[in-house]
Amino acid sequence: MTDHPHHLGVEPSAPSTDRPAGVPTTSHAAPEQQRANRGAFSGRTAFIFAAIGSAVGLGNIWRFPYTAYENGGGAFMIPYLIALLTAGIPLLFVDYAIGHRWRSSAPLAWRRMNRKAEAIGWWQVMICIVIAAYYAAILAWSAWYFIFSFNKAWGEDPAAFFGTFTASVPAETTGIGFDFVPKILIAMVIVWVATIAVLALGVQGGIARSSTIFIPLLIAMFLVLVLRAVTLPNAAMGLDALFTPDWSALTNGSVWIAAYGQIFYSLSVAFGIMLTYSSYLKKKTDLTGSGLVVAFSNSGFELLAGIGVFAALGFMAASTGQQVSDVAADGIGLAFIAFPTIINQAPLGALIGALFFGSLLLAGFTSLISILEVIIAAVQDKLGLGRVAGTLAVGIPMAVLSTLGFSTTTGLNLLDVSDKFVNSFGIVVAALVGTLILAYVVRAIPALRDHLNMYGSFKVGDFWYVMVSVIAPAILAVTLVLDAKEIVNNGYGGMPDWFVNTFGWGMAAVLVAFSIVMSAVPWPQKSNAGKLDSDGDPIAESIVRGKPLEVPTPDTQFPQELRADDDPARAGLFSRLFTKGDTR
């Protein structure tokens, strides 16, 4: 084994590693030896509920059903499952390994892994700022529609009602204005107050406790919704449309891209959430087993959502004398136009409405909590703030930014373009750059593999290595090129070029620029960068390029104790090639 120092870039020296793991620091320790007060999950179950709460969001309910229907129906499940196994789960394991090993927020975890990689973590934080800002608006709409569903306030024309409700200006003439829509403004303020209150309670008291209440409630509500939907007249018509396989779709490359895109977005990978959550786990945690539970729970909920949504659409199509293809929709059109139409026509429609919009509200709320936690954790680590101070320092400015931008008559169009570009040219690009840096610059995959395998019930090896290093980057690159080509050639959403260039392309570029700037800002002495972890144990050493970790001995308690090993035979498939004749 080769002895290598820490490279955090801020502390005068790394914490001593000769103290037995788990022995707390003393009250008179030097500043760099103080422990970080970050909070933690009480156990694996709390983490799993929180992670499922993050993964199961609006996209599971309103995106997956239509994506599956449009891309081969039942046949879509084949590329979907392959995408889950070859990209979704492997990238989820990467997030878990980084967060758990360096036990910090996204920027600090990437920094601790390799000083030059810090900007990736700040990029993920910036992405979460944009998503959280508009996500709150969708929750505000869902809250109002939950109330509207009891008396079907949208009347006989839900499409016209939604236009009136949002008071949205036409896409072709949109700009930025501050004509507030009172109902949306009030609901957004309530959403932000509730979110900040939960997050101020901490990792276990707020995030975990709310998830252990809301996720079982969400599942119970959605199960009742699905049971009601499948018993509607002509529900089988919708289910046939969803599950009838079109095997020819498997030869269409766009179908495979759609499958990978769905898995990628729905699992909350590569933009800091799972990395942050895993940093709160106990050191002796089965990371891979937990990841499999979260991944398959997420996919199971998506399948359940597909059944419920298309059973209801089958009823709607038959009731209006149309085909399922005429009424099928996704996103805002499904949630706020198609479903109110179904609720108008269905027996016990008010019950369906309350269950559907209640489910949207719960799924969105737990996801918003996880998105904001990425930002809060980064600010806490950077400034050394306590839980309440960190939450308020993030929550109040975010609430102001969000309500100013998205509770107005131009908010819907701003939401539309922000959502498209932050996903396609924020998350996708950050994930692509991050995986390439991990695999080919930092060459951290062998060390992350050994960290996962120490307590993981599912061992990862060369297959995982290839998926992370080759398959995932290739799919991300193809997705990026196709999306960019489409928008460059055709514009986006009929909106003015200046608007798309400013709040689409411009926003995506600003995220990158700000991330680079933040990575160059020194970490203050009071930050968490030079501290021990929350348990009072030393932080794991930085990555040594291409090196695996040493084999655990009977005395090894935690994977964070493992240092880099010089054994080239254990370095991993590609690393064995790259490190030939290279010592670092």
Side-chain angles (χ1 to χ4, degrees):
M1 178 186 73
T2 304
D3 196 7
H4 300 280
H6 269 282
H7 296 287
L8 300 186
V10 290
E11 68 274 28
S13 61
S16 171
T17 57
D18 56 2
R19 180 176 59 82
V23 176
T25 56
T26 60
S27 59
H28 58 274
E32 66 270 22
Q33 292 291 95
Q34 292 177 351
R35 68 176 67 192
N37 183 19
R38 303 181 65 248
F41 289 119
S42 62
R44 182 186 176 199
T45 301
F47 164 76
I48 287 175
F49 271 114
I52 292 173
S54 172
V56 174
L58 301 175
N60 299 67
I61 298 173
W62 73 20
R63 188 175 189 271
F64 170 79
Y66 186 77
T67 299
Y69 169 72
E70 281 286 282
N71 291 279
F76 179 76
M77 297 310 297
I78 294 176
Y80 176 84
L81 182 60
I82 292 174
L84 175 65
L85 298 176
T86 61
I89 292 174
L91 290 178
L92 187 64
F93 287 171
V94 168
D95 278 355
Y96 284 4
I98 295 173
H100 189 253
R101 183 160 183 79
W102 287 285
R103 302 181 66 72
S104 48
S105 62
L108 187 52
W110 280 89
R111 179 187 179 92
R112 283 171 166 169
M113 179 172 60
N114 184 285
R115 170 64 184 87
K116 296 178 181 179
E118 181 184 340
I120 300 296
W122 286 114
W123 200 351
Q124 294 174 339
V125 171
M126 292 300 297
I127 288 168
C128 287
I129 289 174
V130 174
I131 296 175
Y134 69 73
Y135 220 82
I138 303 174
L139 289 187
W141 301 347
S142 300
W144 273 114
Y145 269 68
F146 175 77
I147 297 171
F148 293 157
S149 63
F150 289 100
N151 64 355
K152 304 176 184 176
W154 45 72
E156 296 301 317
D157 190 350
F161 178 85
F162 183 71
T164 302
F165 169 71
T166 59
S168 181
V169 300
E172 308 80 43
T173 59
T174 194
I176 289 296
F178 295 99
D179 296 324
F180 293 99
V181 183
K183 283 186 175 180
I184 298 177
L185 175 62
I186 292 169
M188 287 188 69
V189 170
I190 294 172
V191 166
W192 278 109
V193 169
T195 305
I196 292 171
V198 169
L199 285 164
L201 293 174
V203 175
Q204 180 59 33
I207 298 172
R209 185 168 297 172
S210 64
S211 297
T212 54
I213 295 171
F214 292 148
I215 294 306
L217 180 60
L218 169 63
I219 293 172
M221 289 174 61
F222 215 78
L223 281 172
V224 174
L225 173 63
V226 171
L227 289 173
R228 180 68 194 102
V230 297
T231 57
L232 289 172
N234 298 299
M237 179 178 171
L239 296 178
D240 285 343
L242 174 62
F243 289 114
T244 299
D246 176 10
W247 298 114
S248 65
L250 298 181
T251 62
N252 187 339
S254 65
V255 170
W256 290 84
I257 294 297
Y260 277 90
Q262 178 61 34
I263 286 292
F264 184 75
Y265 294 129
S266 70
L267 266 182
S268 299
V269 295
F271 59 105
I273 294 175
M274 293 305 180
L275 184 159
T276 302
Y277 273 10
S278 65
S279 74
Y280 299 132
L281 275 168
K282 295 181 182 295
K283 295 188 183 74
K284 293 183 178 180
T285 297
D286 177 2
L287 296 176
T288 55
S290 301
L292 293 176
V293 171
V294 172
F296 285 110
S297 296
N298 176 71
S299 293
F301 189 89
E302 288 193 321
L303 183 60
L304 188 67
I307 293 171
V309 166
F310 268 82
L313 290 175
F315 164 78
M316 176 182 174
S319 299
T320 57
Q322 302 178 81
Q323 297 298 314
V324 173
S325 59
D326 297 325
V327 298
D330 66 344
I332 292 172
L334 171 68
F336 300 104
I337 298 174
F339 250 86
T341 303
I342 294 167
I343 292 164
N344 281 348
Q345 299 165 349
L348 298 177
L351 173 64
I352 293 175
L355 291 171
F356 179 77
F357 290 110
S359 296
L360 278 184
L361 194 56
L362 289 178
F365 187 65
T366 54
S367 293
L368 178 59
I369 285 172
S370 70
I371 295 165
L372 275 172
E373 180 60 22
V374 176
I375 313 166
I376 292 170
V379 170
Q380 279 190 278
D381 277 350
K382 186 73 174 182
L383 302 179
L385 299 177
R387 184 68 202 187
V388 174
T391 300
L392 294 178
V394 170
I396 293 175
M398 281 297 306
V400 173
L401 171 70
S402 175
T403 51
L404 284 177
F406 297 98
S407 65
T408 65
T409 56
T410 57
L412 177 59
N413 294 319
L414 181 61
L415 185 154
D416 188 7
V417 74
S418 298
D419 178 59
K420 175 62 180 177
F421 278 80
V422 80
N423 279 279
S424 295
F425 307 106
I427 295 176
V428 170
V429 180
L432 174 60
V433 173
T435 53
L436 291 175
I437 287 176
L438 276 177
Y440 302 107
V441 179
V442 179
R443 284 159 40 190
I445 307 300
L448 298 181
R449 172 205 63 198
D450 294 339
H451 183 94
L452 289 168
N453 284 344
M454 181 168 174
Y455 284 113
S457 57
F458 178 82
K459 307 300 182 184
V460 297
D462 286 345
F463 175 81
W464 176 72
Y465 198 109
V466 173
M467 295 304 106
V468 173
S469 304
V470 179
I471 301 301
I475 294 295
L476 290 167
V478 171
T479 302
L480 173 63
V481 169
L482 291 178
D483 273 352
K485 182 179 178 181
E486 172 68 21
I487 293 176
V488 168
N489 290 341
N490 303 314
Y492 182 72
M495 300 178 194
D497 288 342
W498 75 265
F499 189 82
V500 174
N501 291 337
T502 302
F503 298 102
W505 297 112
M507 176 268 293
V510 167
L511 299 188
V512 178
F514 191 86
S515 303
I516 295 171
V517 170
M518 284 300 298
S519 69
V521 175
W523 287 70
Q525 187 65 39
K526 65 179 181 179
S527 76
N528 287 340
K531 296 179 181 178
L532 303 171
D533 70 14
S534 297
D535 298 327
D537 292 326
I539 299 297
E541 65 174 16
S542 299
I543 286 292
V544 179
R545 298 174 67 223
K547 301 289 187 181
L549 299 179
E550 60 187 339
V551 177
T553 68
D555 295 329
T556 306
Q557 297 185 61
F558 311 127
Q560 287 82 1
E561 299 172 20
L562 301 176
R563 291 171 172 264
D565 196 350
D566 284 325
D567 182 3
R570 298 179 48 252
L573 182 61
F574 295 137
S575 193
R576 289 196 295 269
L577 300 176
F578 296 147
T579 56
K580 186 176 181 180
D582 181 14
T583 59
R584 184 173 174 84

